[in-house]
Amino acid sequence: MTTAWWKKRTVYQIYPKSFNDTTGNGVGDIPGIIEKLDYLKKLGIDVIWLSPVYDSPQEDNGYDIRNYRMIDDLFGSMEDMDRLLEEAHSRDLKIVMDLVVNHTSDEHPWFVESKSSKDNQYRDYYIWKDGKADGGPPTNWGSIFSGSAWKYDEQTGQYYLHLFAEKQPDLNWENPTMRKDVYDMMNFWLDKGIDGFRMDVINFISKDQAYPDGEVKSGEKYGDPGPYFVNGPRIHEFLQEMHGEVLAGRDVMTVGEMPGAEPEDGKVYTDPDNQELDMIFTFEHMSLDEEGGDKWNIKPLDLRDLKENFEKWQTSLHGTGWNSLYWNNHDQPRIVSRFGDDGEYREKSAKMLATCLHMMQGTPYIYQGEEIGMTNVHFDDLNDYQDIETLNMYKEKSELGWSHERIMEAIYTKGRDNARTPMQWDSSRNAGFTEGTPWLPVNHNYKSINAESALHSQNSIFYHYQDLIRLRKKMNIITQGRFQLLLREDPQIFAYERQGEIDSLYVICNFSSENIEITGELNEELKGAEVIISNEKYPEPSNLQPWEGTVYWLKK
Ligand code: NOJ
């Protein structure tokens, strides 16, 4: 059997709104992406995942789709999209589109119809319920974007479900006609020549039909609906059906975004024998710095938790399923600010973090700007923030009694706009992102952190990523070796071994600003090994430098 192509390739995520604006309207666009394909080719990535560019009212930056078969004017036209596909393919770059089918926009014609009357043929495309006896919402469920997950509709006297914003009504996957329409739409895009899908919260699509109330946790106003839709009762059936109707026989790549999936679930979703998905995004490693399941309730990361978590996923999926490897995306704060040091050791820690992740088994994802070590942003004025999740949360937490300072601190640390500030291309006005006024302010460190200066410095984070991508292609052990965690109890060093038949890799990463000595057996082992990549000129295991990340290769 040949190895699937996506096992040796690296994906680059583009958040189109913030990537590159060619029209001066302050919003990135598809021609802007085309302009930068050579930059991406130089980085060495092979696949581009495009966050949504479909027609949308942009309530949630395109994750609220009005027309699945149209490109939003903001980003260009279908001709631009066709040209992007052509230009990408001619450079041997693949394009994976975002598939958002847990919900649509409330402006999607299906919802407009559905809402118009109880007996409309589209009524059942969404989830409508009567209120409780007292007229209140059908369940106590809270929305992921704050407030109730139900919205009352005066006209028909029922509530509809929206796990996210009010303008993002959930589709009813129990309805086979709706499912068929979704599959037709997916086939439309694949027939056009796209190379796969990243599926938005795809493990949320099957809801528990009993619709019970959720547990109300302390300090919360609403019940937790998670148990009634995360990895819901018919999820595997739906994914297998989708596979049969759309994916079977096509050489494409699929990745499911799956909050709440554990390794055992991951194995089922990605085992090729089950014919569901190629890989999934887990969220577990992204929740280790929060308390009580509330992303805004921040606690410091204990590195041991992170190591243990990666170990769990690396060992569980080995030989059966396949991991996605990521630190960043458009929903997460910048990794160098989160688990690294975005001050004195910005470059070093960014490289170390990249090394630590890219030497694992799975398909690595790089989020725009990660390759130049972009950092979180601090806007003093709440009005500068655009993200609906952040703005809704501000209101809800204020009502719960959180101080302004505490909420702002949470936004600085975790807010999604950290990842969404415009890409920093050069040191000119607006970081070369736009000639107009950017839709979200540019991070003011753009004069020193930008792609142009990274390209000019042989020692930059950019070239480090380039090396990592090359190594993955060259060395089979990176895609195939077993994962063995080393120095388990060490609170500052993340060390692991990748074991192959004829060789081993030792990945040694210092997650601290201290010099650390590695002693004993591991030190002995490393003495005879060859350094294949490092962010230190002369790495020395007995004297690990602050934020050092070094990979040793040992032939048996
Ligand atoms: C996950 C997406 O990544 C996020 O950006 C979006 O807000 C929600 N799903 C809703 O679509």
Side-chain angles (χ1 to χ4, degrees):
M1 215 182 84
T2 51
T3 310
W5 56 263
W6 35 264
K7 290 196 172 174
K8 276 196 163 286
R9 312 221 185 176
T10 300
V11 183
Y12 186 93
Q13 182 192 353
I14 291 183
Y15 196 64
K17 221 173 163 178
S18 305
F19 194 61
N20 184 28
D21 174 23
T22 58
T23 64
N25 67 353
V27 174
D29 46 51
I30 296 175
I33 298 173
I34 298 172
E35 231 176 63
K36 299 294 181 184
L37 288 177
D38 290 329
Y39 167 82
L40 298 178
K41 193 68 195 167
K42 177 155 192 170
L43 181 58
I45 58 100
D46 313 275
V47 184
I48 295 169
W49 150 26
L50 262 195
S51 275
V53 287
Y54 313 97
D55 175 49
S56 158
Q58 302 290 331
E59 176 79 359
D60 185 20
N61 291 340
Y63 284 90
D64 49 320
I65 297 170
R66 183 165 47 202
N67 186 338
Y68 288 107
R69 298 177 192 229
M70 215 177 121
I71 299 296
D72 199 294
D73 290 346
L74 263 185
F75 301 123
S77 62
M78 194 55 100
E79 288 69 48
D80 292 326
M81 187 64 214
D82 290 337
R83 197 158 62 84
L84 171 61
L85 278 170
E86 235 177 81
E87 295 275 349
H89 288 160
S90 73
R91 291 169 175 81
D92 200 18
L93 292 171
K94 298 194 184 267
I95 301 274
V96 165
M97 300 273 281
D98 224 302
L99 179 80
V100 188
V101 290
N102 174 68
H103 45 268
T104 66
S105 159
D106 65 344
E107 296 180 28
H108 192 291
W110 295 341
F111 190 74
V112 174
E113 289 284 329
S114 181
K115 200 176 158 193
S116 67
S117 78
K118 276 182 164 172
D119 53 14
N120 185 280
Q121 57 165 322
Y122 289 95
R123 183 69 172 178
D124 200 35
Y125 268 45
Y126 295 84
I127 301 166
W128 292 96
K129 298 266 173 237
D130 291 328
K132 283 188 174 156
D134 66 357
T139 69
N140 66 357
W141 294 7
S143 149
I144 294 163
F145 285 171
S146 306
S148 167
W150 298 95
K151 167 92 176 157
Y152 186 67
D153 171 51
E154 295 281 345
Q155 197 177 323
T156 54
Q158 283 192 310
Y159 288 84
Y160 69 85
L161 179 71
H162 61 91
L163 291 180
F164 294 90
E166 275 177 26
K167 282 180 70 63
Q168 291 169 300
D170 280 53
L171 284 164
N172 176 20
W173 275 74
E174 299 295 316
N175 180 338
T177 320
M178 189 288 294
R179 299 206 298 275
K180 186 172 173 309
D181 274 346
V182 167
Y183 305 148
D184 283 352
M185 174 273 286
M186 292 173 73
N187 279 316
F188 162 83
W189 281 102
L190 290 169
D191 291 345
K192 227 179 202 313
I194 69 161
D195 304 287
F197 290 109
R198 173 270 186 187
M199 303 186 186
D200 193 66
V201 289
I202 199 68
N203 63 331
F204 288 7
I205 59 178
S206 164
K207 276 78 173 174
D208 180 339
Q209 294 303 295
Y211 286 93
D213 275 339
E215 183 198 343
V216 183
K217 297 193 178 134
S218 97
E220 298 285 341
K221 191 162 158 197
Y222 295 96
D224 172 15
Y228 312 112
F229 65 79
V230 173
N231 307 314
R234 296 181 70 188
I235 182 65
H236 296 293
E237 178 194 334
F238 292 156
L239 289 177
Q240 284 166 12
E241 181 182 80
M242 177 191 283
H243 193 279
E245 297 293 321
V246 180
L247 305 166
R250 297 190 191 257
D251 186 18
V252 296
M253 181 193 119
T254 55
V255 50
E257 187 202 26
M258 296 212 177
E262 294 178 12
E264 281 314 303
D265 306 306
K267 224 160 137 170
V268 180
Y269 286 124
T270 67
D271 181 343
D273 288 346
N274 296 340
Q275 312 219 313
E276 296 187 15
L277 299 172
D278 295 326
M279 61 189 118
I280 69 166
F281 289 125
T282 158
F283 278 63
E284 289 194 326
H285 67 304
M286 294 278 101
S287 320
L288 300 172
D289 52 1
E290 69 192 33
E291 206 83 74
D294 176 1
K295 92 173 227 187
W296 306 105
N297 202 0
I298 303 154
K299 69 168 188 193
L301 173 77
D302 182 332
L303 184 68
R304 285 166 293 201
D305 294 340
L306 186 71
K307 299 198 287 193
E308 204 178 287
N309 191 264
F310 272 115
E311 179 191 33
K312 223 168 51 167
W313 282 90
Q314 288 287 301
T315 52
S316 303
L317 268 57
H318 182 82
T320 315
W322 194 250
N323 274 296
S324 312
L325 306 171
Y326 77 95
W327 285 133
N328 270 119
N329 59 42
H330 62 292
D331 294 329
Q332 300 293 339
R334 294 281 177 183
I335 198 62
V336 69
S337 302
R338 189 178 191 176
F339 296 163
D341 174 341
D342 63 7
E344 184 185 350
Y345 293 111
R346 187 184 64 85
E347 297 222 359
K348 275 199 72 185
S349 63
K351 289 181 193 169
M352 181 282 285
L353 286 160
T355 304
C356 185
L357 190 75
H358 282 239
M359 287 296 122
M360 292 190 206
Q361 186 175 43
T363 298
Y365 288 72
I366 300 171
Y367 176 69
Q368 66 186 42
E370 181 182 337
E371 76 281 14
I372 55 169
M374 278 177 64
T375 66
N376 281 353
V377 75
H378 282 216
F379 299 138
D380 293 330
D381 188 347
L382 184 67
N383 292 321
D384 279 337
Y385 287 93
Q386 301 289 329
D387 177 23
I388 182 166
E389 182 193 41
T390 295
L391 300 175
N392 287 357
M393 178 281 285
Y394 188 93
K395 257 194 261 149
E396 184 164 278
K397 295 293 190 203
S398 306
E399 281 163 22
L400 288 170
W402 284 32
S403 68
H404 171 77
E405 289 68 30
R406 178 168 179 205
I407 306 177
M408 291 313 285
E409 205 42 53
I411 296 174
Y412 296 152
T413 319
K414 283 296 202 54
R416 304 195 298 181
D417 282 339
N418 282 310
R420 299 176 180 185
T421 59
M423 177 68 187
Q424 293 164 207
W425 292 110
D426 57 38
S427 58
S428 69
R429 204 170 70 93
N430 295 325
F433 162 71
T434 181
E435 302 269 309
T437 307
W439 72 278
L440 183 69
V442 173
N443 193 323
H444 22 243
N445 59 22
Y446 72 91
K447 292 221 153 108
S448 56
I449 305 174
N450 62 64
E452 189 182 52
S453 72
L455 288 170
H456 281 131
S457 152
Q458 272 316 307
N459 209 11
S460 68
I461 304 167
F462 180 94
Y463 291 113
H464 191 80
Y465 270 93
Q466 193 186 56
D467 288 343
L468 290 167
I469 297 168
R470 271 201 206 120
L471 278 174
R472 165 168 300 267
K473 293 215 171 99
K474 202 169 91 185
M475 302 186 75
N476 286 335
I477 188 168
I478 301 176
T479 31
Q480 288 165 8
R482 286 188 158 277
F483 179 96
Q484 173 80 50
L485 186 64
L486 308 170
L487 309 179
R488 178 181 301 279
E489 295 307 327
D490 194 295
Q492 291 165 311
I493 302 175
F494 192 158
Y496 60 88
E497 184 183 349
R498 299 292 311 281
Q499 301 166 331
E501 308 252 300
I502 48 162
D503 54 357
S504 267
L505 289 180
Y506 290 89
V507 183
I508 314 289
C509 296
N510 182 359
F511 275 68
S512 83
S513 311
E514 286 168 32
N515 284 70
I516 300 179
E517 185 183 0
I518 294 195
T519 53
E521 217 179 296
L522 181 56
N523 186 21
E524 285 307 309
E525 212 122 39
L526 298 180
K527 276 188 189 151
E530 181 186 330
V531 172
I532 58 163
I533 188 165
S534 179
N535 58 359
E536 274 302 321
K537 216 167 179 179
Y538 304 108
E540 189 44 68
S542 54
N543 184 15
L544 222 60
Q545 298 299 306
W547 302 100
E548 176 175 337
T550 300
V551 183
Y552 297 86
W553 183 42
L554 194 68
K555 279 178 257 173
K556 285 183 188 156

